[in-house]
Amino acid sequence: MKILLPDTVPLDPALPEGWEAVVVDARAEIPAEHHDAAALVVWGASRRHLASAAEHLAELQLVQSLSAGVEGILGAGFREEVEIATGSGLHSLTVSEHALALLLSLLRRLPEAREAQARHEWSEELGGLQPLHPEGRVTSLIGARVLIWGFGQIGQTLAPVLGALGAEVRGAARSAGTRAGFEVIADDQVMAALPEVDVLINILPATEQTAGAVSREALAALPAHALLINVGRGATVDQVALREALEAGTLGGAGLDVTDPEPLPAGDPLWDAPRLLITPHGAGGRPVGADQRIAQNLAALAEGREILHAATR
């Protein structure tokens, strides 16, 4: 039995007896001598690579993504009987770090401090004696009301960190309840909750249901001082409405690690929106625990057990 590993990340999973691993170019078509592969690991794959795998790997049983999002894989045309497993959980720590970095940068006005540094200016506006909760601005996580929309493993990793820094954290997901010790409201309750939110952290996946979820109406419902952080998918935010809200001053600021499209075109007016920090989809570029996940799912496949984090098709 053969598993194909991508050349985009060093991998060395423990293999069940009788399996061999072959590293292939994740940007190219699958070579003919490897069309007998039973498993394929996907990380940074091109559309050409995925289309080739879907067409030629007749013995394929498992596609293991190292990304939490598998939209490209689901659209590649793999046979229904091929198991597709997501990389859910492999990016919880790194994406949480990045979301926190974006949020703290905005709270502590680091972009403005960098601009002042470039002018060799010791800014009295940014330093010295400061009120903890100034009127019309969020400057601290202490007492901040945070809503994490998309309260999966990443959200549940990030929430206690924010809580430890003094934030009041709730989650939002498809169903209400309690997860990881935090109150979770249902998606259909989000609009009613937004007027009392200081920080909205979006970790929604890209689906038909979530397209444009952070809509013009949602942005308008937030207080004018509120901050938006998006480390989910770009398609979940109405970017035109976001830019207009930032320009009009009806939103306090935003930090985006994802956009629609990606890369964001150089001429897109979103680049020049005020109080906006954009990073180039760098939050989760380092899957943590990939070897263990691959080994677990290969063992499950070999033993006829349920695959971990199987994608819904």
Side-chain angles (χ1 to χ4, degrees), residues 73 146 288 296:
I73 296 173
V146 178
V288 178
Q296 287 173 320

PDB file of all heavy atoms in Angstrom, residues 73 146 288 296:
ATOM      1  N   ILE A  73     -10.467  20.439  -2.335  1.00  0.00           N
ATOM      2  CA  ILE A  73     -10.465  18.975  -2.443  1.00  0.00           C
ATOM      3  C   ILE A  73     -11.864  18.470  -2.775  1.00  0.00           C
ATOM      4  O   ILE A  73     -12.045  17.616  -3.645  1.00  0.00           O
ATOM      5  CB  ILE A  73      -9.949  18.339  -1.135  1.00  0.00           C
ATOM      6  CG1 ILE A  73      -8.486  18.738  -0.894  1.00  0.00           C
ATOM      7  CG2 ILE A  73     -10.080  16.821  -1.176  1.00  0.00           C
ATOM      8  CD1 ILE A  73      -7.944  18.302   0.448  1.00  0.00           C
ATOM      9  N   VAL A 146     -16.095  39.894  23.855  1.00  0.00           N
ATOM     10  CA  VAL A 146     -15.591  39.260  22.634  1.00  0.00           C
ATOM     11  C   VAL A 146     -16.552  38.158  22.202  1.00  0.00           C
ATOM     12  O   VAL A 146     -16.957  37.320  23.013  1.00  0.00           O
ATOM     13  CB  VAL A 146     -14.183  38.671  22.859  1.00  0.00           C
ATOM     14  CG1 VAL A 146     -13.692  37.970  21.600  1.00  0.00           C
ATOM     15  CG2 VAL A 146     -13.206  39.765  23.288  1.00  0.00           C
ATOM     16  N   VAL A 288       0.621  21.692  12.923  1.00  0.00           N
ATOM     17  CA  VAL A 288       1.256  21.135  14.126  1.00  0.00           C
ATOM     18  C   VAL A 288       0.628  19.774  14.425  1.00  0.00           C
ATOM     19  O   VAL A 288      -0.581  19.674  14.609  1.00  0.00           O
ATOM     20  CB  VAL A 288       1.064  22.083  15.332  1.00  0.00           C
ATOM     21  CG1 VAL A 288       1.686  21.478  16.589  1.00  0.00           C
ATOM     22  CG2 VAL A 288       1.661  23.451  15.033  1.00  0.00           C
ATOM     23  N   GLN A 296      -2.546   8.271  12.540  1.00  0.00           N
ATOM     24  CA  GLN A 296      -3.812   7.850  13.149  1.00  0.00           C
ATOM     25  C   GLN A 296      -4.837   7.451  12.093  1.00  0.00           C
ATOM     26  O   GLN A 296      -5.516   6.425  12.221  1.00  0.00           O
ATOM     27  CB  GLN A 296      -4.372   8.984  14.027  1.00  0.00           C
ATOM     28  CG  GLN A 296      -3.614   9.200  15.322  1.00  0.00           C
ATOM     29  CD  GLN A 296      -4.120  10.441  16.055  1.00  0.00           C
ATOM     30  OE1 GLN A 296      -4.410  11.472  15.450  1.00  0.00           O
ATOM     31  NE2 GLN A 296      -4.210  10.347  17.373  1.00  0.00           N
TER      32      GLN A 296
END
